[in-house]
Amino acid sequence: TGRILDVNERFERVSGWTIEEARGRTLAELNAWVAPGDRQRMLEITQTRGMAHDLEVALRTRSGREIWLLLAVDILERNGEAVILTQGVDITDRKRAEQALARSRQRLE
């Protein structure tokens, strides 16, 4: 269903949502997907391979700021049910540097 079961403190610091605000809701309900197609892409890869690693996605924080995460997504069993474990690394600074480099290259050309 995509409902959040639990988050760690790092999620709270990066996203701005507390566990109480996030639990039981989806990222779509939190309006966190910058590109809603990213969720579908993540699910398709995970269902096909049983996992999806090195996925770059843009998410929106509670304050509306856009961040980039590098995701690792795995399907696990919890209490007899399949659940998705998602781990993310904030790569926002790297993505901004890549975009600045691309703009510089364009200007030089």
Side-chain angles (χ1 to χ4, degrees), residues 49-93:
R49 299 182 191 162
M51 57 87 171
H53 292 182
D54 299 324
L55 288 176
E56 293 183 2
V57 299
L59 293 178
R60 192 174 295 105
T61 66
R62 185 173 191 237
S63 68
R65 184 173 63 96
E66 289 183 14
I67 59 171
W68 281 89
L69 296 178
L70 183 65
L71 298 182
V73 184
D74 295 284
I75 299 175
L76 304 174
E77 189 174 309
R78 179 179 174 185
N79 300 325
E81 290 187 74
V83 296
I84 295 177
L85 173 66
T86 306
Q87 301 171 68
V89 175
D90 186 346
I91 59 167
T92 305
D93 291 340

Side-chain angles (χ1 to χ4, degrees), residues 6-23:
D6 202 2
V7 298
N8 61 20
E9 291 175 9
R10 180 76 178 144
F11 172 89
E12 291 179 322
R13 282 194 306 275
V14 170
S15 73
W17 285 290
T18 66
I19 187 169
E20 293 81 15
E21 294 168 320
R23 186 180 284 140

